[in-house]
């Protein structure tokens, strides 16, 4: 491995078996690029590395190989969530962290709107009836005027608010602290109002990052505070929800349904009871993934890398104590 090229060393950490991210030729013109996919290869690549691009948002390799990071200045995560990176040596140290905020916001919001409309227009049952060649007329709900509670009023939550408002729903947000006169929400409430707001919502959407404060936030008590006719949608992080409590709430009729893109354990095991629930919609952690998203992530990193080369401040800087990019 060449270590005296004179160019800054950038290490790209991918998941084992993943292909190289597309569009890195422009980076090779400016930096020595190394690749790693596990603790062993990262131990070899890290010495001398000044910048990391991390595409494996579940990785534990970085924490394990951290003692080898002798020159590291900046880590860029190609995901909105950075919870896997928030180990003490990183959060307490000087290394900057940025994330992919902005790349997936609109497509995640489109997914949420789609899920709300699928529930409102009873598309799960329509698909089942079509598969069985059954003609069965039903009346369905109006989405207009329904109240959507978006737990996590950051950049993704804001896009969800804009799109749900555009089709006539009333978006309310939950944030660390209440905000007055937010142009995209009917209101933004503080975390201390969550229980009250759960009881008022027709749709509850989790768009929060995984932190010590949000892990396990949605337990049986939270679901029992929701309306029995409300639907629950999670596009945030799986461990924010206690899956067994969600299953119990669905079976008991505490809530009317769930649209789930993320889970405590992924992939969801084939024999999990959620698969067979007719009031549950399941997708494979793909709510934000659009055709061309990998190239878009590289382009975002390259834009920030240019700023780093020029000594300018980086965009999407993560507050390591909070665990997300705070604006």
């Amino acid at each position: 491995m060449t270590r005296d090229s004179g160019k800054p060393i950038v290490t790209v950490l991918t998941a084992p078996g993943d292909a190289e991210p597309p569009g890195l030729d422009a980076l090779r013109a400016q930096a020595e690029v190394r690749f790693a996919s596990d603790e062993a290869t990262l131990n070899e690549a890290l010495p001398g590395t000044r910048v990391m691009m991390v595409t494996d948002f579940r990785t534990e390799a970085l924490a394990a190989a951290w003692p080898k990071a002798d020159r590291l200045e900046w880590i860029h995560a190609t995901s909105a969530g950075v919870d896997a990176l928030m180990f003490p040596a990183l959060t307490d140290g000087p290394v900057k962290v940025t994330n992919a905020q902005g790349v997936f916001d609109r497509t995640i919001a489109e997914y949420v709107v789609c899920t709300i409309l699928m529930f409102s227009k009873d598309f799960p049952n329509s698909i089942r009836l079509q598969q069985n060649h059954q003609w069965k007329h039903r009346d369905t709900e109006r989405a207009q005027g329904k109240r959507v509670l978006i737990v996590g009023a950051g950049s993704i939550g804001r896009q969800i608010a804009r799109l749900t408002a555009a089709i006539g729903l009333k978006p309310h947000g939950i944030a660390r602290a209440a905000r007055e006169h937010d142009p995209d929400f009917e209101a933004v409430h503080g975390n201390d109002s969550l229980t009250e707001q759960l009881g008022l919502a027709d749709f509850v959407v989790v768009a929060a990052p995984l932190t010590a404060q949000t892990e396990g936030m949605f337990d049986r008590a939270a679901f029992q505070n929701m309306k029995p006719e409300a639907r629950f949608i999670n596009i945030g992080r799986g461990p924010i929800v206690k899956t067994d409590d969600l299953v119990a709430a669905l079976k008991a009729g505490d809530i009317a349904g769930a649209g789930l893109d993320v889970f405590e354990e992924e992939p969801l095991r084939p024999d999990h009871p959620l698969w067979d629930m007719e009031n549950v919609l399941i997708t494979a952690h793909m709510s934000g993934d659009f055709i061309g998203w990998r190239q878009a992530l590289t382009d975002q990193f390259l834009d920030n890398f240019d700023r780093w080369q020029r000594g300018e401040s980086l965009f999407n800087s993560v507050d390591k104590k909070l665990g997300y990019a705070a604006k």
Side-chain angles (χ1 to χ4, degrees):
M1 201 176 276
T2 303
R3 298 184 183 271
D4 57 358
S5 64
K7 298 177 180 179
I9 298 171
V10 177
T11 291
V12 180
L13 176 61
T14 65
D18 278 5
E20 172 184 320
L24 289 181
D25 287 345
L27 181 62
R28 288 186 172 92
Q30 305 174 67
E32 176 187 333
V33 182
R34 300 175 181 170
F35 292 91
S37 60
D38 54 24
E39 181 183 350
T41 53
L42 191 56
N43 273 324
E44 184 179 357
L46 268 180
T49 294
R50 296 177 64 191
V51 175
M52 285 192 68
M53 177 183 181
V54 179
T55 69
D56 181 5
F57 63 85
R58 298 183 181 92
T59 186
E60 296 179 357
L62 184 56
W66 190 250
K68 299 290 186 180
D70 55 354
R71 296 192 64 193
L72 192 60
E73 301 175 24
W74 163 40
I75 298 170
H76 178 76
T78 61
S79 58
V82 294
D83 43 277
L85 299 180
M86 295 295 104
F87 53 92
L90 174 56
T91 57
D92 296 339
V95 177
K96 297 181 177 67
V97 177
T98 59
N99 72 352
Q101 179 175 281
V103 172
F104 300 111
D105 296 6
R106 175 74 183 203
T107 46
I108 290 176
E110 291 172 357
Y111 174 99
V112 170
V113 169
C114 175
T115 304
I116 289 172
L117 292 177
M118 286 186 73
F119 277 127
S120 298
K121 301 308 169 189
D122 198 27
F123 260 73
N125 276 323
S126 291
I127 292 168
R128 280 187 283 271
L129 290 166
Q130 179 181 345
Q131 290 171 338
N132 293 324
H133 299 190
Q134 290 180 263
W135 180 277
K136 184 179 180 181
H137 179 272
R138 294 103 64 221
D139 295 336
T140 61
E141 303 169 30
R142 296 183 67 176
Q144 184 178 18
K146 295 291 182 68
R147 184 171 177 135
V148 182
L149 182 65
I150 303 164
V151 181
S155 64
I156 293 173
R158 184 172 299 282
Q159 282 292 332
I160 295 169
R162 289 172 179 170
L163 288 195
T164 53
I167 61 170
L169 291 110
K170 299 183 180 300
H172 287 247
I174 292 287
R176 283 189 304 130
R179 301 200 294 257
E180 293 185 3
H181 310 302
D182 191 297
D184 295 313
F185 292 87
E186 297 273 325
V188 176
H189 313 274
N191 282 334
D192 55 355
S193 298
L194 176 62
T195 298
E196 174 190 2
Q197 293 302 317
L198 285 175
L200 301 173
D202 301 294
F203 295 93
V204 175
V205 181
V206 177
L210 177 61
T211 66
Q213 289 70 42
T214 63
E215 185 171 3
M217 172 187 287
F218 280 89
D219 55 11
R220 189 67 190 276
F223 293 120
Q224 289 176 332
N225 284 321
M226 291 171 59
K227 294 181 180 180
E229 64 271 23
R231 276 72 168 231
F232 176 76
I233 300 169
N234 188 9
I235 50 80
R237 279 288 186 260
I240 294 174
V241 179
K242 292 185 176 180
T243 309
D244 290 345
D245 288 1
L246 172 60
V247 171
L250 289 163
K251 287 180 176 179
D254 295 333
I255 60 174
L260 307 171
D261 186 55
V262 291
F263 302 87
E264 278 188 285
E265 295 184 10
E266 297 181 4
L268 189 66
R269 67 177 194 270
D271 64 344
H272 199 283
L274 285 170
W275 287 111
D276 295 318
M277 292 185 170
E278 292 191 353
N279 57 348
V280 174
L281 299 173
I282 291 174
T283 52
H285 204 139
M286 54 184 278
S287 62
D289 295 349
F290 54 93
I291 297 170
W293 64 270
R294 292 176 177 84
Q295 182 66 55
L297 289 174
T298 299
D299 292 343
Q300 184 189 57
F301 168 71
L302 292 175
D303 287 345
N304 230 0
F305 184 77
D306 287 342
R307 296 174 68 92
W308 179 81
Q309 289 273 67
R310 296 192 297 267
E312 299 174 3
S313 60
L314 303 174
F315 58 79
N316 286 0
S317 181
V318 169
D319 184 319
K320 294 187 292 183
K321 298 300 183 184
L322 294 177
Y324 53 87
K327 287 189 175 180

